[in-house]
Each structure stands twice: as structure tokens, then as C-alpha cells.
Amino acid sequence: MHAALIYDKVSIHYHDEQAPLLREIQFCLQPGERAALVGLNGSGKTTLLMATVGLVPHDGTIYAGDIQVTAKTLSAVRENIGFLFNVPEDQLLFPTVLDDVTFGLRQRGIPAADANARGMEILKKLKIEDLAAQPLPQLSHGQKQRTALAGALVVSPPLLLLDEPTAGLDPLGKRALAGFLTDYPAAMLITTHDLDFADQVCNRVLVLHQGRLLSDTTDTRFIRQWWDTL
């Protein structure tokens, strides 16, 4: 069985700057493994996720499943990844919630009735099925976040890249999301500042600091202690 995600000595330069934002990042995420990616603002968490789907160039090697991430393979890579941006408006394009959630299915040639049924199923699991016919501009930020997440999940990808998925969620929304993700079978890399959420959902924590992977651990106590020293 292939690893879900491999980073092999990956460096990323941003905006033609000489010093790389990320340097020699190396880790492997196994199928079904849920890892939190934490670090201070500007540490490169979002950039790392974006490199995985080819939105920023990289040096080194990235594999998503058995596919190396290159300019020629981006279509195949993206078909197997559910991506959640930290600004949900960046990926909400259609008039209503259900229209937006089912877009990925319809793009794959799934008949409209089947796509809508699968879309409603995922909306129910995220406890937002009552929003199915709601126009997107009328949603709160948290509702937009869960709608974007539903769109990422509906195609049942083997790998999820979630950028601050709890942003804008109230405590009930966070609890529902944590329960859902804990039971979801995909591998996940989740950027978050919420260590309580990471404790609930993830079984591993990767720490980015000053452009490097500072720690790769299953013990979030280390992260809390490290943050307390900053």
C-alpha cells in the first residue's frame, strides 16, 4: 500500500526570495493517519498544503499516493485530494449550497440525481442539510466553512488537506466536525492553532518553525510546552 503523502527534502521559495520559506521538509503520512500541522503565523503551513496540489512551486519530491506532484500530473493529483482553503469564499462558486457541494461529482459525470443524493448525505453528516437550498451569500462564515468542507469530502478522496477547518465555528460546530473527522477514513493533514481540536482529531503533530520541521510527534504536551516558551 502506498503512503498517502510523502515529502522528500522539499523546499519552497516564495515570490522569488532567495531564502526559502520552507527548507528540506521531510515526512510521510500513511493511509488513514490524521496529522495536525501547527506553527506560528507565517511559518508556512498554508504554503505546504498549497504545494501538495501544485499551487506553489517546490524543489524536492512530493508524492500524493503513488503520483509524484509535477506540472504534468496535477489533474490526477487533485482528483484524489480534498482541499479546504482557510478562506472558504475562495472555493465557493455556485448559487446554492447543494449546487456547490455537488460540483465535483457532476464534473466527474455523475448523474444529477445521484450527485444530489450524495451531496445531501454529506450535508447531513456535517449537520447542515437544512442549508441545501440556501444562497451562498446568505451564509455565515462558519456555514461557508462547512459547505466548502462538504464539497471537499463529497468525492470521497483518500487524502484531505484542511487549512484551519475550525475557523468561524462555534463550540457545537467544532464538536460535530471533530466527531465527523475522527470517524472519516481518509488520511488528513490539518493546519490548526486549536490544540484541543488537534488532540481530539489527530494522532500525530508536525511543527513548522522558522522554515523547518521542528518536531514530528504524537505528544501534544511538547507543543504546548514549546508554545509557552515563545
Side-chain angles (χ1 to χ4, degrees), residues 101-169:
V101 169
T102 57
F103 170 69
L105 295 174
R106 290 183 278 109
Q107 196 176 37
R108 287 166 169 77
I110 304 296
D114 293 339
N116 287 341
R118 287 172 61 176
M120 286 302 301
E121 181 181 356
I122 202 71
L123 291 176
K124 288 177 182 176
K125 288 181 178 179
L126 291 172
K127 302 186 185 303
I128 54 171
E129 67 272 18
D130 57 326
L131 299 178
Q134 194 82 356
L136 293 178
Q138 296 181 13
L139 301 181
S140 69
H141 178 82
Q143 290 170 335
K144 290 178 181 177
Q145 191 82 338
R146 279 182 283 180
T147 298
L149 178 60
L153 294 170
V154 75
V155 295
S156 301
L159 174 62
L160 294 177
L161 305 177
L162 309 180
D163 198 358
E164 295 290 348
T166 60
L169 297 185

Side-chain angles (χ1 to χ4, degrees), residues 64-141:
D66 61 347
I67 305 173
Q68 184 176 352
V69 179
T70 69
K72 294 181 179 180
T73 64
L74 290 184
S75 178
V77 166
R78 291 170 182 174
E79 282 191 1
N80 292 305
I81 294 176
F83 195 103
L84 177 69
F85 288 86
N86 59 5
V87 179
E89 289 84 357
D90 288 347
Q91 63 191 100
L92 299 177
L93 305 172
F94 292 87
T96 70
V97 167
L98 188 60
D99 288 337
D100 204 274
V101 169
T102 57
F103 170 69
L105 295 174
R106 290 183 278 109
Q107 196 176 37
R108 287 166 169 77
I110 304 296
D114 293 339
N116 287 341
R118 287 172 61 176
M120 286 302 301
E121 181 181 356
I122 202 71
L123 291 176
K124 288 177 182 176
K125 288 181 178 179
L126 291 172
K127 302 186 185 303
I128 54 171
E129 67 272 18
D130 57 326
L131 299 178
Q134 194 82 356
L136 293 178
Q138 296 181 13
L139 301 181
S140 69
H141 178 82

Side-chain angles (χ1 to χ4, degrees), residues 55-72:
L55 294 177
V56 295
H58 66 276
D59 298 318
T61 305
I62 303 173
Y63 275 90
D66 61 347
I67 305 173
Q68 184 176 352
V69 179
T70 69
K72 294 181 179 180

Side-chain angles (χ1 to χ4, degrees), residues 6 25 101 145 148 161 168 175 222-223:
I6 296 173
I25 302 299
V101 169
Q145 191 82 338
L161 305 177
R175 185 170 65 188
F222 165 82
I223 314 304

Side-chain angles (χ1 to χ4, degrees), residues 34 36 166 170-183 188 190 192 194-205 220 224:
R34 300 186 301 273
T166 60
D170 60 26
L172 288 178
K174 285 185 182 182
R175 185 170 65 188
L177 179 60
F180 176 84
L181 293 178
T182 300
D183 292 335
M188 301 177 200
I190 305 172
T192 184
D194 189 336
L195 292 185
D196 290 331
F197 180 79
D199 274 338
Q200 288 179 279
V201 174
C202 299
N203 42 36
R204 180 178 171 191
V205 181
T220 58
R224 296 176 191 275

